[in-house]
Amino acid sequence: MGHHSCCNQQKVKRGLWSPEEDEKLIKYITTHGYGCWSEVPDKAGLQRCGKSCRLRWINYLRPDIRRGRFSPEEEKLIISLHAVVGNRWAHIASHLPGRTDNEIKNYWNSWIKKKIRKPNTGTSTSSIPQYSNIQIPPTILTQDFNSLTQFEPLENQTMINSNPNDNNSIFPSSPIPLFMFESECGVTMAKDDHELVADVGNLNLVDIWNTNGNQNDHQALSPLSSFVDHNYLPPLVDGLVTMGPVPPGCIGEDCEASGSHECFEKNELSEWVEAQQYPGFYIWDQGLQGQIGGDDLPVSTPPKSNTDNSVDTFPSSL
DNA sequence: AACGCAGTCAACCGCTGTCGA
DNA sequence: CTCGACAGCGGTTGACTGCGT
């Protein structure tokens, strides 16, 4: 494995960085900044390739890096985000200030994997993880609502919902699994659609998934069919966890004026709608710039207490 | 003490997307 | 439109470390 595409010069050094190299790189970047990484090694007096310099700076040397163990909150966020976006480490890292994608990836691979076991479905080719108590939308995994099987219990139940009163569990306030919501921009959900609401603890993450399992219906909702066909989770979630609650009373044209316009700044939401926190869910469609879900639609309200398990969130047929 | 093994994590590899010429 | 340079990303590697035997 001697080849390195960008570092094929004899002089280029590889492997661990020495303190002297770190010092040179820090000194150069802090005084000159970085524009073109390929120029950095020469100008900084380093016998490294630009790519290596960039990696070293981004992952370890930049001043805003946050070291040390992940907090329980960070851990919850990582798990929740990973349940939604899969192995998009850079995306996950963007929600954890000071953490790098590499760090999160390593953390996930070394630590979290131990606590969350993927059930062996044997047939799914999806890269989206399936967690015991985090139920992935069935249409992504199977395209067949009725074929969804209950996930196996965790081998290690210390993390997820082992105790709804345990604030260290991932979803301490809700027995409801994590879902997402799908709707094409401009398509109002039919009233008899199943819509599932999940509340992820204190993370303000509310995902709704239209569980109308009729595959034909989904395919009618172009462009959603593209990911349905490919078992691929669409890039819809940039705003999902960062948005604050839609203010009560903020509906339709009044929305921007009352401050929730931030939801319209999320580029990746163009074809998706958002559900927001209780009390009262408002489901927004960016294309319509208005509420398409809420009081008129059968949107469940998550429990307000840890002991409220009465919310009907999943069809009994499952 | 020596060895094997598993876990950790910094770094590398190869691919993709973007942008400017 | 094409091409090359570059940045960024996710997957993977391998050195290091700690622990058990």
Side-chain angles (χ1 to χ4, degrees), chain A residues 3-4 14-15 17 51 56 60 110:
Chain A
H3 178 68
H4 187 196
R14 297 172 59 190
W17 280 63
K51 198 171 184 176
R56 185 64 183 170
Y60 301 98
S110 65

PDB file of all heavy atoms in Angstrom, chain A residues 3-4 14-15 17 51 56 60 110, chain B residues 7-15:
ATOM      1  N   HIS A   3       1.167   3.534  -2.278  1.00  0.00           N
ATOM      2  CA  HIS A   3       0.725   4.638  -3.090  1.00  0.00           C
ATOM      3  C   HIS A   3      -0.203   5.568  -2.334  1.00  0.00           C
ATOM      4  O   HIS A   3      -1.091   5.162  -1.628  1.00  0.00           O
ATOM      5  CB  HIS A   3      -0.009   4.091  -4.313  1.00  0.00           C
ATOM      6  CG  HIS A   3      -0.549   5.184  -5.176  1.00  0.00           C
ATOM      7  ND1 HIS A   3       0.259   6.034  -5.878  1.00  0.00           N
ATOM      8  CD2 HIS A   3      -1.820   5.573  -5.426  1.00  0.00           C
ATOM      9  CE1 HIS A   3      -0.486   6.878  -6.559  1.00  0.00           C
ATOM     10  NE2 HIS A   3      -1.761   6.630  -6.296  1.00  0.00           N
ATOM     11  N   HIS A   4       0.056   6.823  -2.533  1.00  0.00           N
ATOM     12  CA  HIS A   4      -0.852   7.822  -2.015  1.00  0.00           C
ATOM     13  C   HIS A   4      -1.055   8.833  -3.121  1.00  0.00           C
ATOM     14  O   HIS A   4      -0.109   9.449  -3.596  1.00  0.00           O
ATOM     15  CB  HIS A   4      -0.274   8.482  -0.760  1.00  0.00           C
ATOM     16  CG  HIS A   4      -1.249   9.404  -0.104  1.00  0.00           C
ATOM     17  ND1 HIS A   4      -0.897  10.325   0.818  1.00  0.00           N
ATOM     18  CD2 HIS A   4      -2.578   9.541  -0.257  1.00  0.00           C
ATOM     19  CE1 HIS A   4      -1.947  10.995   1.219  1.00  0.00           C
ATOM     20  NE2 HIS A   4      -2.986  10.543   0.577  1.00  0.00           N
ATOM     21  N   ARG A  14       4.802  10.530   6.074  1.00  0.00           N
ATOM     22  CA  ARG A  14       3.484   9.998   6.422  1.00  0.00           C
ATOM     23  C   ARG A  14       3.519   9.510   7.857  1.00  0.00           C
ATOM     24  O   ARG A  14       4.538   9.496   8.513  1.00  0.00           O
ATOM     25  CB  ARG A  14       3.117   8.875   5.469  1.00  0.00           C
ATOM     26  CG  ARG A  14       2.985   9.334   4.028  1.00  0.00           C
ATOM     27  CD  ARG A  14       2.810   8.173   3.091  1.00  0.00           C
ATOM     28  NE  ARG A  14       1.621   7.390   3.450  1.00  0.00           N
ATOM     29  CZ  ARG A  14       1.344   6.214   2.920  1.00  0.00           C
ATOM     30  NH1 ARG A  14       2.153   5.666   2.062  1.00  0.00           N
ATOM     31  NH2 ARG A  14       0.259   5.569   3.283  1.00  0.00           N
ATOM     32  N   GLY A  15       2.359   9.126   8.310  1.00  0.00           N
ATOM     33  CA  GLY A  15       2.270   8.611   9.669  1.00  0.00           C
ATOM     34  C   GLY A  15       1.956   9.691  10.684  1.00  0.00           C
ATOM     35  O   GLY A  15       1.490  10.780  10.344  1.00  0.00           O
ATOM     36  N   TRP A  17       1.928  12.618  13.332  1.00  0.00           N
ATOM     37  CA  TRP A  17       2.527  13.948  13.318  1.00  0.00           C
ATOM     38  C   TRP A  17       3.337  14.161  14.592  1.00  0.00           C
ATOM     39  O   TRP A  17       2.898  13.832  15.696  1.00  0.00           O
ATOM     40  CB  TRP A  17       1.445  15.015  13.213  1.00  0.00           C
ATOM     41  CG  TRP A  17       0.925  15.206  11.820  1.00  0.00           C
ATOM     42  CD1 TRP A  17       0.263  14.283  11.061  1.00  0.00           C
ATOM     43  CD2 TRP A  17       1.041  16.388  11.033  1.00  0.00           C
ATOM     44  NE1 TRP A  17      -0.041  14.815   9.840  1.00  0.00           N
ATOM     45  CE2 TRP A  17       0.414  16.116   9.797  1.00  0.00           C
ATOM     46  CE3 TRP A  17       1.604  17.639  11.235  1.00  0.00           C
ATOM     47  CZ2 TRP A  17       0.348  17.049   8.775  1.00  0.00           C
ATOM     48  CZ3 TRP A  17       1.521  18.577  10.220  1.00  0.00           C
ATOM     49  CH2 TRP A  17       0.907  18.280   9.006  1.00  0.00           C
ATOM     50  N   LYS A  51      -3.128  17.434   1.706  1.00  0.00           N
ATOM     51  CA  LYS A  51      -4.272  16.700   2.241  1.00  0.00           C
ATOM     52  C   LYS A  51      -4.045  16.294   3.693  1.00  0.00           C
ATOM     53  O   LYS A  51      -4.949  16.362   4.525  1.00  0.00           O
ATOM     54  CB  LYS A  51      -4.487  15.456   1.372  1.00  0.00           C
ATOM     55  CG  LYS A  51      -5.841  14.821   1.510  1.00  0.00           C
ATOM     56  CD  LYS A  51      -6.016  13.742   0.441  1.00  0.00           C
ATOM     57  CE  LYS A  51      -7.412  13.157   0.500  1.00  0.00           C
ATOM     58  NZ  LYS A  51      -7.635  12.189  -0.583  1.00  0.00           N
ATOM     59  N   ARG A  56      -4.991  17.128   9.453  1.00  0.00           N
ATOM     60  CA  ARG A  56      -4.427  17.368  10.781  1.00  0.00           C
ATOM     61  C   ARG A  56      -5.035  18.615  11.409  1.00  0.00           C
ATOM     62  O   ARG A  56      -5.348  18.641  12.595  1.00  0.00           O
ATOM     63  CB  ARG A  56      -2.905  17.505  10.685  1.00  0.00           C
ATOM     64  CG  ARG A  56      -2.195  17.633  12.031  1.00  0.00           C
ATOM     65  CD  ARG A  56      -2.352  16.386  12.871  1.00  0.00           C
ATOM     66  NE  ARG A  56      -1.743  16.537  14.190  1.00  0.00           N
ATOM     67  CZ  ARG A  56      -1.901  15.665  15.193  1.00  0.00           C
ATOM     68  NH1 ARG A  56      -2.620  14.575  15.012  1.00  0.00           N
ATOM     69  NH2 ARG A  56      -1.340  15.875  16.350  1.00  0.00           N
ATOM     70  N   TYR A  60      -7.601  18.011  14.449  1.00  0.00           N
ATOM     71  CA  TYR A  60      -6.884  18.026  15.721  1.00  0.00           C
ATOM     72  C   TYR A  60      -6.290  19.363  16.148  1.00  0.00           C
ATOM     73  O   TYR A  60      -6.128  19.617  17.329  1.00  0.00           O
ATOM     74  CB  TYR A  60      -5.766  16.967  15.705  1.00  0.00           C
ATOM     75  CG  TYR A  60      -6.339  15.611  15.460  1.00  0.00           C
ATOM     76  CD1 TYR A  60      -6.320  15.056  14.198  1.00  0.00           C
ATOM     77  CD2 TYR A  60      -6.968  14.913  16.474  1.00  0.00           C
ATOM     78  CE1 TYR A  60      -6.897  13.831  13.947  1.00  0.00           C
ATOM     79  CE2 TYR A  60      -7.542  13.681  16.237  1.00  0.00           C
ATOM     80  CZ  TYR A  60      -7.512  13.147  14.976  1.00  0.00           C
ATOM     81  OH  TYR A  60      -8.094  11.942  14.737  1.00  0.00           O
ATOM     82  N   SER A 110     -16.540   2.399  17.721  1.00  0.00           N
ATOM     83  CA  SER A 110     -15.902   1.724  18.850  1.00  0.00           C
ATOM     84  C   SER A 110     -16.813   1.568  20.053  1.00  0.00           C
ATOM     85  O   SER A 110     -16.734   0.590  20.776  1.00  0.00           O
ATOM     86  CB  SER A 110     -14.652   2.484  19.279  1.00  0.00           C
ATOM     87  OG  SER A 110     -14.998   3.754  19.777  1.00  0.00           O
TER      88      SER A 110
ATOM     89  P    DG B   7     -13.534  -5.797  21.260  1.00  0.00           P
ATOM     90  OP1  DG B   7     -14.818  -5.965  21.958  1.00  0.00           O
ATOM     91  OP2  DG B   7     -13.456  -5.988  19.793  1.00  0.00           O
ATOM     92  O5'  DG B   7     -12.958  -4.356  21.597  1.00  0.00           O
ATOM     93  C5'  DG B   7     -12.616  -4.064  22.953  1.00  0.00           C
ATOM     94  C4'  DG B   7     -11.942  -2.712  23.020  1.00  0.00           C
ATOM     95  O4'  DG B   7     -10.590  -2.820  22.538  1.00  0.00           O
ATOM     96  C3'  DG B   7     -12.616  -1.615  22.204  1.00  0.00           C
ATOM     97  O3'  DG B   7     -12.722  -0.451  23.004  1.00  0.00           O
ATOM     98  C2'  DG B   7     -11.684  -1.412  21.012  1.00  0.00           C
ATOM     99  C1'  DG B   7     -10.331  -1.801  21.588  1.00  0.00           C
ATOM    100  N9   DG B   7      -9.377  -2.330  20.621  1.00  0.00           N
ATOM    101  C8   DG B   7      -9.578  -3.361  19.747  1.00  0.00           C
ATOM    102  N7   DG B   7      -8.525  -3.625  19.009  1.00  0.00           N
ATOM    103  C5   DG B   7      -7.581  -2.712  19.423  1.00  0.00           C
ATOM    104  C6   DG B   7      -6.251  -2.507  18.989  1.00  0.00           C
ATOM    105  O6   DG B   7      -5.625  -3.126  18.126  1.00  0.00           O
ATOM    106  N1   DG B   7      -5.635  -1.470  19.684  1.00  0.00           N
ATOM    107  C2   DG B   7      -6.225  -0.722  20.666  1.00  0.00           C
ATOM    108  N2   DG B   7      -5.495   0.233  21.222  1.00  0.00           N
ATOM    109  N3   DG B   7      -7.474  -0.901  21.089  1.00  0.00           N
ATOM    110  C4   DG B   7      -8.087  -1.908  20.421  1.00  0.00           C
ATOM    111  P    DT B   8     -13.459   0.808  22.452  1.00  0.00           P
ATOM    112  OP1  DT B   8     -14.171   1.419  23.590  1.00  0.00           O
ATOM    113  OP2  DT B   8     -14.182   0.458  21.215  1.00  0.00           O
ATOM    114  O5'  DT B   8     -12.248   1.767  22.052  1.00  0.00           O
ATOM    115  C5'  DT B   8     -11.219   1.985  23.008  1.00  0.00           C
ATOM    116  C4'  DT B   8     -10.139   2.870  22.410  1.00  0.00           C
ATOM    117  O4'  DT B   8      -9.325   2.095  21.501  1.00  0.00           O
ATOM    118  C3'  DT B   8     -10.655   4.070  21.619  1.00  0.00           C
ATOM    119  O3'  DT B   8     -10.029   5.238  22.114  1.00  0.00           O
ATOM    120  C2'  DT B   8     -10.253   3.770  20.173  1.00  0.00           C
ATOM    121  C1'  DT B   8      -9.051   2.867  20.357  1.00  0.00           C
ATOM    122  N1   DT B   8      -8.761   1.895  19.261  1.00  0.00           N
ATOM    123  C2   DT B   8      -7.507   1.873  18.706  1.00  0.00           C
ATOM    124  O2   DT B   8      -6.610   2.624  19.048  1.00  0.00           O
ATOM    125  N3   DT B   8      -7.336   0.927  17.714  1.00  0.00           N
ATOM    126  C4   DT B   8      -8.291   0.034  17.258  1.00  0.00           C
ATOM    127  O4   DT B   8      -8.010  -0.770  16.363  1.00  0.00           O
ATOM    128  C5   DT B   8      -9.579   0.108  17.884  1.00  0.00           C
ATOM    129  C7   DT B   8     -10.663  -0.818  17.456  1.00  0.00           C
ATOM    130  C6   DT B   8      -9.741   1.026  18.849  1.00  0.00           C
ATOM    131  P    DC B   9     -10.616   6.634  21.789  1.00  0.00           P
ATOM    132  OP1  DC B   9     -10.330   7.498  22.948  1.00  0.00           O
ATOM    133  OP2  DC B   9     -11.990   6.479  21.285  1.00  0.00           O
ATOM    134  O5'  DC B   9      -9.704   7.114  20.571  1.00  0.00           O
ATOM    135  C5'  DC B   9      -8.300   7.113  20.733  1.00  0.00           C
ATOM    136  C4'  DC B   9      -7.624   7.340  19.400  1.00  0.00           C
ATOM    137  O4'  DC B   9      -7.648   6.121  18.622  1.00  0.00           O
ATOM    138  C3'  DC B   9      -8.285   8.408  18.521  1.00  0.00           C
ATOM    139  O3'  DC B   9      -7.256   9.136  17.868  1.00  0.00           O
ATOM    140  C2'  DC B   9      -9.044   7.583  17.496  1.00  0.00           C
ATOM    141  C1'  DC B   9      -8.055   6.433  17.319  1.00  0.00           C
ATOM    142  N1   DC B   9      -8.601   5.209  16.688  1.00  0.00           N
ATOM    143  C2   DC B   9      -7.727   4.383  15.964  1.00  0.00           C
ATOM    144  O2   DC B   9      -6.540   4.691  15.888  1.00  0.00           O
ATOM    145  N3   DC B   9      -8.221   3.273  15.374  1.00  0.00           N
ATOM    146  C4   DC B   9      -9.519   2.972  15.485  1.00  0.00           C
ATOM    147  N4   DC B   9      -9.959   1.869  14.893  1.00  0.00           N
ATOM    148  C5   DC B   9     -10.419   3.805  16.226  1.00  0.00           C
ATOM    149  C6   DC B   9      -9.918   4.913  16.800  1.00  0.00           C
ATOM    150  P    DA B  10      -7.300  10.699  17.928  1.00  0.00           P
ATOM    151  OP1  DA B  10      -7.061  11.139  19.315  1.00  0.00           O
ATOM    152  OP2  DA B  10      -8.504  11.162  17.217  1.00  0.00           O
ATOM    153  O5'  DA B  10      -6.012  11.054  17.055  1.00  0.00           O
ATOM    154  C5'  DA B  10      -4.772  10.468  17.402  1.00  0.00           C
ATOM    155  C4'  DA B  10      -4.035  10.039  16.143  1.00  0.00           C
ATOM    156  O4'  DA B  10      -4.671   8.871  15.578  1.00  0.00           O
ATOM    157  C3'  DA B  10      -3.985  11.088  15.037  1.00  0.00           C
ATOM    158  O3'  DA B  10      -2.668  11.104  14.496  1.00  0.00           O
ATOM    159  C2'  DA B  10      -5.012  10.593  14.016  1.00  0.00           C
ATOM    160  C1'  DA B  10      -4.967   9.086  14.203  1.00  0.00           C
ATOM    161  N9   DA B  10      -6.216   8.374  13.934  1.00  0.00           N
ATOM    162  C8   DA B  10      -7.468   8.713  14.347  1.00  0.00           C
ATOM    163  N7   DA B  10      -8.402   7.866  13.955  1.00  0.00           N
ATOM    164  C5   DA B  10      -7.712   6.910  13.254  1.00  0.00           C
ATOM    165  C6   DA B  10      -8.128   5.746  12.583  1.00  0.00           C
ATOM    166  N6   DA B  10      -9.389   5.333  12.528  1.00  0.00           N
ATOM    167  N1   DA B  10      -7.175   5.003  11.977  1.00  0.00           N
ATOM    168  C2   DA B  10      -5.901   5.406  12.039  1.00  0.00           C
ATOM    169  N3   DA B  10      -5.389   6.488  12.628  1.00  0.00           N
ATOM    170  C4   DA B  10      -6.358   7.202  13.227  1.00  0.00           C
ATOM    171  P    DA B  11      -2.264  12.180  13.432  1.00  0.00           P
ATOM    172  OP1  DA B  11      -0.835  12.474  13.656  1.00  0.00           O
ATOM    173  OP2  DA B  11      -3.259  13.266  13.430  1.00  0.00           O
ATOM    174  O5'  DA B  11      -2.396  11.378  12.069  1.00  0.00           O
ATOM    175  C5'  DA B  11      -1.642  10.181  11.913  1.00  0.00           C
ATOM    176  C4'  DA B  11      -2.117   9.451  10.674  1.00  0.00           C
ATOM    177  O4'  DA B  11      -3.440   8.946  10.899  1.00  0.00           O
ATOM    178  C3'  DA B  11      -2.198  10.302   9.406  1.00  0.00           C
ATOM    179  O3'  DA B  11      -1.205   9.852   8.506  1.00  0.00           O
ATOM    180  C2'  DA B  11      -3.621  10.091   8.878  1.00  0.00           C
ATOM    181  C1'  DA B  11      -4.096   8.868   9.651  1.00  0.00           C
ATOM    182  N9   DA B  11      -5.535   8.810   9.919  1.00  0.00           N
ATOM    183  C8   DA B  11      -6.289   9.733  10.576  1.00  0.00           C
ATOM    184  N7   DA B  11      -7.562   9.413  10.678  1.00  0.00           N
ATOM    185  C5   DA B  11      -7.647   8.198  10.029  1.00  0.00           C
ATOM    186  C6   DA B  11      -8.717   7.322   9.785  1.00  0.00           C
ATOM    187  N6   DA B  11      -9.976   7.574  10.182  1.00  0.00           N
ATOM    188  N1   DA B  11      -8.448   6.180   9.119  1.00  0.00           N
ATOM    189  C2   DA B  11      -7.190   5.939   8.724  1.00  0.00           C
ATOM    190  N3   DA B  11      -6.108   6.680   8.889  1.00  0.00           N
ATOM    191  C4   DA B  11      -6.402   7.806   9.563  1.00  0.00           C
ATOM    192  P    DC B  12      -1.044  10.428   7.065  1.00  0.00           P
ATOM    193  OP1  DC B  12       0.396  10.394   6.738  1.00  0.00           O
ATOM    194  OP2  DC B  12      -1.816  11.677   6.946  1.00  0.00           O
ATOM    195  O5'  DC B  12      -1.768   9.310   6.180  1.00  0.00           O
ATOM    196  C5'  DC B  12      -1.410   7.945   6.368  1.00  0.00           C
ATOM    197  C4'  DC B  12      -2.292   7.053   5.521  1.00  0.00           C
ATOM    198  O4'  DC B  12      -3.631   7.059   6.054  1.00  0.00           O
ATOM    199  C3'  DC B  12      -2.401   7.471   4.053  1.00  0.00           C
ATOM    200  O3'  DC B  12      -2.196   6.325   3.240  1.00  0.00           O
ATOM    201  C2'  DC B  12      -3.826   8.023   3.936  1.00  0.00           C
ATOM    202  C1'  DC B  12      -4.554   7.230   5.001  1.00  0.00           C
ATOM    203  N1   DC B  12      -5.758   7.908   5.562  1.00  0.00           N
ATOM    204  C2   DC B  12      -7.006   7.280   5.527  1.00  0.00           C
ATOM    205  O2   DC B  12      -7.097   6.163   5.016  1.00  0.00           O
ATOM    206  N3   DC B  12      -8.084   7.919   6.056  1.00  0.00           N
ATOM    207  C4   DC B  12      -7.940   9.118   6.608  1.00  0.00           C
ATOM    208  N4   DC B  12      -9.032   9.698   7.111  1.00  0.00           N
ATOM    209  C5   DC B  12      -6.683   9.776   6.662  1.00  0.00           C
ATOM    210  C6   DC B  12      -5.623   9.144   6.131  1.00  0.00           C
ATOM    211  P    DC B  13      -2.077   6.430   1.688  1.00  0.00           P
ATOM    212  OP1  DC B  13      -1.105   5.420   1.231  1.00  0.00           O
ATOM    213  OP2  DC B  13      -1.917   7.850   1.316  1.00  0.00           O
ATOM    214  O5'  DC B  13      -3.526   5.965   1.225  1.00  0.00           O
ATOM    215  C5'  DC B  13      -4.011   4.689   1.634  1.00  0.00           C
ATOM    216  C4'  DC B  13      -5.339   4.403   0.967  1.00  0.00           C
ATOM    217  O4'  DC B  13      -6.377   5.117   1.672  1.00  0.00           O
ATOM    218  C3'  DC B  13      -5.408   4.833  -0.496  1.00  0.00           C
ATOM    219  O3'  DC B  13      -5.940   3.776  -1.258  1.00  0.00           O
ATOM    220  C2'  DC B  13      -6.317   6.063  -0.477  1.00  0.00           C
ATOM    221  C1'  DC B  13      -7.175   5.837   0.759  1.00  0.00           C
ATOM    222  N1   DC B  13      -7.613   7.073   1.467  1.00  0.00           N
ATOM    223  C2   DC B  13      -8.961   7.256   1.787  1.00  0.00           C
ATOM    224  O2   DC B  13      -9.770   6.386   1.456  1.00  0.00           O
ATOM    225  N3   DC B  13      -9.332   8.366   2.462  1.00  0.00           N
ATOM    226  C4   DC B  13      -8.422   9.277   2.803  1.00  0.00           C
ATOM    227  N4   DC B  13      -8.830  10.360   3.466  1.00  0.00           N
ATOM    228  C5   DC B  13      -7.046   9.114   2.491  1.00  0.00           C
ATOM    229  C6   DC B  13      -6.685   8.005   1.825  1.00  0.00           C
ATOM    230  P    DG B  14      -5.766   3.802  -2.865  1.00  0.00           P
ATOM    231  OP1  DG B  14      -5.497   2.418  -3.303  1.00  0.00           O
ATOM    232  OP2  DG B  14      -4.891   4.915  -3.283  1.00  0.00           O
ATOM    233  O5'  DG B  14      -7.263   4.165  -3.320  1.00  0.00           O
ATOM    234  C5'  DG B  14      -8.347   3.450  -2.753  1.00  0.00           C
ATOM    235  C4'  DG B  14      -9.639   4.191  -3.002  1.00  0.00           C
ATOM    236  O4'  DG B  14      -9.739   5.311  -2.095  1.00  0.00           O
ATOM    237  C3'  DG B  14      -9.799   4.755  -4.409  1.00  0.00           C
ATOM    238  O3'  DG B  14     -11.117   4.531  -4.838  1.00  0.00           O
ATOM    239  C2'  DG B  14      -9.534   6.248  -4.210  1.00  0.00           C
ATOM    240  C1'  DG B  14     -10.146   6.438  -2.828  1.00  0.00           C
ATOM    241  N9   DG B  14      -9.711   7.624  -2.107  1.00  0.00           N
ATOM    242  C8   DG B  14      -8.462   8.188  -2.078  1.00  0.00           C
ATOM    243  N7   DG B  14      -8.382   9.260  -1.331  1.00  0.00           N
ATOM    244  C5   DG B  14      -9.662   9.416  -0.844  1.00  0.00           C
ATOM    245  C6   DG B  14     -10.190  10.404   0.017  1.00  0.00           C
ATOM    246  O6   DG B  14      -9.605  11.368   0.537  1.00  0.00           O
ATOM    247  N1   DG B  14     -11.538  10.189   0.282  1.00  0.00           N
ATOM    248  C2   DG B  14     -12.287   9.154  -0.237  1.00  0.00           C
ATOM    249  N2   DG B  14     -13.576   9.111   0.116  1.00  0.00           N
ATOM    250  N3   DG B  14     -11.804   8.226  -1.043  1.00  0.00           N
ATOM    251  C4   DG B  14     -10.498   8.415  -1.304  1.00  0.00           C
ATOM    252  P    DC B  15     -11.430   4.445  -6.405  1.00  0.00           P
ATOM    253  OP1  DC B  15     -11.641   3.043  -6.761  1.00  0.00           O
ATOM    254  OP2  DC B  15     -10.466   5.282  -7.164  1.00  0.00           O
ATOM    255  O5'  DC B  15     -12.836   5.197  -6.426  1.00  0.00           O
ATOM    256  C5'  DC B  15     -13.787   4.923  -5.389  1.00  0.00           C
ATOM    257  C4'  DC B  15     -14.516   6.181  -4.989  1.00  0.00           C
ATOM    258  O4'  DC B  15     -13.612   7.050  -4.269  1.00  0.00           O
ATOM    259  C3'  DC B  15     -15.023   7.009  -6.168  1.00  0.00           C
ATOM    260  O3'  DC B  15     -16.435   6.871  -6.253  1.00  0.00           O
ATOM    261  C2'  DC B  15     -14.626   8.444  -5.843  1.00  0.00           C
ATOM    262  C1'  DC B  15     -14.085   8.365  -4.416  1.00  0.00           C
ATOM    263  N1   DC B  15     -12.961   9.306  -4.136  1.00  0.00           N
ATOM    264  C2   DC B  15     -13.186  10.404  -3.296  1.00  0.00           C
ATOM    265  O2   DC B  15     -14.313  10.572  -2.807  1.00  0.00           O
ATOM    266  N3   DC B  15     -12.159  11.250  -3.039  1.00  0.00           N
ATOM    267  C4   DC B  15     -10.966  11.029  -3.586  1.00  0.00           C
ATOM    268  N4   DC B  15      -9.979  11.889  -3.297  1.00  0.00           N
ATOM    269  C5   DC B  15     -10.715   9.915  -4.437  1.00  0.00           C
ATOM    270  C6   DC B  15     -11.738   9.081  -4.691  1.00  0.00           C
TER     271       DC B  15
END
